[in-house]
Amino acid sequence: MLTALAIRNVVLIEALDLVFRAGLGVLTGETGAGKSILLDSLGLVLGDRADTGLVRAGTDQASVTATFEFDRLPDAIRAALAEADIAIEPGEALIIKRRLRADGGSRAFINDQPVGVALLRDLSRHLVELHGQHDDRGLVNARGHRALLDRYAHADTASVAQAWHRWSRAEADLAAARAAVTAARADEDLLTAHLAELVALDAQVGEEADLAQQRAAMQKGERLSSDLAALQVLWEGSDSALAGLRSAARRLDRIAGEHPLLAEALASLDRAVIEAGEAEDRIAAAMEALAHDPLSLDRIETRLFELRAAARKHGCAADELAAKTAEMRAALDAIESGDAHILQLERAAHDAGLDYQAKAEALSVVRAEAARRLDAAVAQELAPLKLDAARFRTAVVRLPDDRWGPQGVDAVEFLISTNPGSAFAPLGKIASGGELSRFILALKVALAEEGGAATVIFDEIDRGVGGAVASAIGERLARLAHAGQLLAVTHSPQVAARGRNHFLIAKSSEGTVTRTSVALLDSAGRKEEIARMLSGAEITPEARAQADRLLEQA
């Protein structure tokens, strides 16, 4: 609920800090004292258009800060804040601030984080519900009427929504399967030909890399063949270098014992013979590994060309050809079994549709019964509010099939007729001013609405009425405010007497400077203000006595 409102330099308000409590709060004052400034200030902080006319003359900027506190932050508010990356700890207040410069620029903040004005407007419907002469939100807006009736009826809307989503998924699966089979049948001949090609090709995963490696080795062997042949000649035959080394080692072996240096020379020569022998073996192995057969090389290159051409044709890598083959085989199998699968999906979609319709029809019955009860409850409230000639009707209308949805098959709208014999029409199109506010009050009392905005404001709901009607209005406002917070701008002493908190709005002038102030009245101040509302400019003892009686009755 709204717990504090701080206003700086807004029209006639220089600086104002208000603290609000739960229950019914009333705001009174003489006409022109500035009650509308308070509502405009609250509207500014809740995302209304930034009007530079609100900036107090002679100042650069105006600002309004509203503080809201909750026992538990409503899920809708938490979700909206989370989407804007704003986290609020349990028990933490929600502080909204709006600054408006005289040149027209404005900035908004939530808990000191800059935000867009669109977020303020999104949050406003969960924070404050304002009912006044030009209000087109809240209960006047037909888009919320179905949800209000469902809450009033304690209707099971969740099962209908679940059935709708099951039916939607079943229909989507059926449509996708039909489209897939239709597309597959259109390409069946081409698909069969492509599958035959891939089956004949029999591509294996990793085959391309293996063939490329073999081809590279053969091409390298072809390039090195002359050098390897020349090296082989150096090692082969009786007159080769290796044969000469071995002959020298044998001769040196016969005389190595004659001198230590000869023995060392023999050891060196033996090592050379061994190393040369190993080199000969490695060259021979390399020649075998790099041996190239022109026919084999041609066969490998042909296979590589076939693999890569097929990969290009089917828009994939060569290693994916095996998977593509399996995919085509599955597509052909699906064509063969498609009719049976579609029949199964058709049956599932049909059953899901019947289940949804049954649940939606049951919900319609609940809504129709609740509508009758709501109409009767509102009718009981109209006469005490001086609306006895009016009639109220909750219209539950069947939607065309293409507009069915998770909320069911009905459209719901609250309609009124203000005069006998006149046609029913939407709430906001017939009633006006205080009459509209009284209709809304009757409806809210009948609904005993839960889950609405945290704070409800009625702007001059008592316009044009007095006496017993004003008393009835005050009694109903107090009843509505019992479990929450309700603020009423009023000119009626009967309504003011019902307030738990009473704010007096006054305007004063000092020379050329005019200011609006707001004060929370104590019990003596309340009595005096209600007496003024009863008697006018001159407060009489009779007015004070009547004020006492009104306060006692409240």
Side-chain angles (χ1 to χ4, degrees):
M1 69 174 184
L2 178 66
T3 57
L5 186 66
I7 304 173
R8 299 291 184 272
N9 296 323
V10 175
V11 193
L12 301 180
I13 298 176
E14 186 174 9
L16 182 62
D17 293 284
L18 296 175
V19 175
F20 299 95
R21 293 184 291 174
L24 176 60
V26 295
L27 296 92
T28 66
E30 295 182 355
T31 300
K35 293 185 289 294
S36 63
I37 300 175
L38 288 179
L39 298 181
D40 289 342
S41 298
L42 189 57
L44 181 67
V45 86
L46 293 175
D48 284 356
R49 185 178 65 85
D51 182 358
T52 56
L54 292 175
V55 180
R56 181 175 170 83
T59 62
D60 295 330
Q61 70 173 16
S63 70
V64 183
T65 304
T67 302
F68 295 87
E69 297 183 25
F70 304 89
D71 293 334
R72 179 183 177 276
L73 192 67
D75 292 339
I77 295 178
R78 186 179 299 280
L81 293 175
E83 190 173 341
D85 293 326
I86 298 175
I88 291 189
E89 299 298 325
E92 184 181 1
L94 177 66
I95 303 174
I96 304 177
K97 184 171 185 177
R98 184 97 179 265
R99 290 177 184 159
L100 173 61
R101 296 197 308 271
D103 62 8
S106 75
R107 297 190 67 190
F109 304 85
I110 293 181
N111 289 24
D112 292 328
Q113 296 187 50
V115 297
V117 176
L119 177 59
L120 302 189
R121 286 194 289 267
D122 187 31
L123 292 176
S124 66
R125 57 196 177 97
H126 305 294
L127 295 171
V128 175
E129 182 180 325
L130 173 62
H131 299 292
Q133 294 187 60
H134 307 292
D135 180 43
D136 60 353
R137 299 165 293 180
L139 295 180
V140 177
N141 193 331
R143 285 179 299 198
H145 291 176
R146 181 169 52 198
L148 288 170
L149 181 63
D150 288 343
R151 268 205 303 272
Y152 178 76
H154 301 289
D156 178 15
T157 56
S159 64
V160 175
Q162 291 167 0
W164 165 261
H165 292 306
R166 283 194 298 270
W167 186 23
S168 298
R169 284 195 298 271
E171 289 288 354
D173 291 344
L174 175 59
R178 283 173 172 165
V181 169
T182 300
R185 281 182 176 149
D187 299 330
E188 185 173 6
D189 292 341
L190 183 61
L191 192 62
T192 301
H194 285 171
L195 179 61
E197 292 175 358
L198 290 179
V199 169
L201 185 64
D202 191 24
Q204 304 297 316
V205 176
E207 182 181 6
E208 181 194 24
D210 290 342
L211 290 173
Q213 187 175 4
Q214 291 178 42
R215 183 184 66 173
M218 286 186 176
Q219 290 173 336
K220 188 182 295 183
E222 185 179 23
R223 190 172 64 253
L224 300 176
S225 60
S226 59
D227 292 332
L228 292 172
L231 284 170
Q232 191 175 25
V233 170
L234 294 177
W235 262 262
E236 291 179 348
S238 58
D239 57 347
S240 67
L242 181 57
L245 283 174
R246 288 171 176 160
S247 176
R250 286 193 297 272
R251 181 170 299 216
L252 187 57
D253 183 55
R254 289 195 295 270
I255 62 175
E258 299 299 326
H259 193 279
L261 289 175
L262 293 176
E264 292 177 5
L266 177 60
S268 297
L269 194 56
D270 285 341
R271 288 194 299 274
V273 170
I274 292 170
E275 292 288 341
E278 290 177 353
E280 180 185 26
D281 293 340
R282 289 191 174 95
I283 290 172
M287 290 180 68
E288 184 178 351
L290 294 172
H292 69 282
D293 176 4
L295 291 178
S296 295
L297 180 59
D298 182 64
R299 186 177 63 254
I300 288 172
E301 288 184 332
T302 300
R303 179 64 174 175
L304 275 172
F305 175 81
E306 290 172 347
L307 289 173
R308 290 171 177 173
R312 285 193 302 272
K313 182 176 182 178
H314 295 289
C316 64
D319 280 351
E320 295 172 349
L321 288 171
K324 184 68 72 173
T325 304
E327 181 183 321
M328 290 183 181
R329 187 175 284 117
L332 287 172
D333 291 342
I335 294 174
E336 295 176 6
S337 61
D339 290 339
H341 182 54
I342 286 175
L343 185 62
Q344 181 182 4
L345 291 176
E346 285 175 342
R347 192 174 298 113
H350 176 72
D351 292 344
L354 290 179
D355 179 58
Y356 167 76
Q357 291 179 53
K359 287 182 168 60
E361 293 290 353
L363 178 58
S364 293
V365 172
V366 171
R367 283 171 173 162
E369 174 57 30
R372 285 190 289 271
R373 289 189 284 110
L374 180 59
D375 292 350
V378 173
Q380 290 182 352
E381 297 294 331
L382 294 179
L385 296 175
K386 203 179 178 180
L387 295 169
D388 43 315
R391 291 174 298 154
F392 175 86
R393 176 185 295 169
T394 304
V396 180
V397 180
R398 178 83 168 210
L399 290 168
D401 296 2
D402 60 353
R403 292 183 58 195
W404 292 359
Q407 291 81 30
V409 298
D410 309 304
V412 177
E413 186 171 12
F414 299 145
L415 305 175
I416 60 169
S417 168
T418 55
N419 297 298
S422 63
F424 282 89
L427 203 59
K429 295 197 177 194
I430 291 183
S432 61
E435 188 180 58
L436 175 60
S437 294
R438 280 181 278 136
F439 261 113
I440 291 171
L441 177 59
L443 183 54
K444 287 188 74 69
V445 170
L447 286 169
E449 184 189 351
E450 296 180 0
T455 299
V456 179
I457 300 176
F458 280 94
D459 183 16
E460 298 188 5
I461 188 174
D462 48 20
R463 177 186 293 269
V465 300
V469 177
S471 294
I473 291 174
E475 185 273 329
R476 282 156 177 77
L477 290 175
R479 195 194 316 168
L480 278 177
H482 180 69
Q485 183 184 51
L486 191 148
L487 300 174
V489 177
T490 180
H491 290 287
S492 168
Q494 291 90 343
V495 173
R498 292 279 182 173
R500 179 179 175 184
N501 311 296
H502 190 153
F503 297 91
L504 175 61
I505 305 173
K507 184 166 64 175
S508 61
S509 298
E510 296 178 9
T512 59
V513 178
T514 302
R515 294 184 177 87
T516 289
S517 61
V518 181
L520 177 62
L521 300 179
D522 57 17
S523 57
R526 290 189 65 196
K527 174 183 173 180
E528 198 70 5
E529 170 62 7
I530 293 172
R532 181 200 65 77
M533 297 171 73
L534 286 164
S535 64
E538 183 180 349
I539 302 176
T540 64
E542 291 80 4
R544 290 190 176 95
Q546 180 63 17
D548 279 333
R549 284 192 292 272
L550 287 176
L551 289 169
E552 288 171 2
Q553 291 170 3

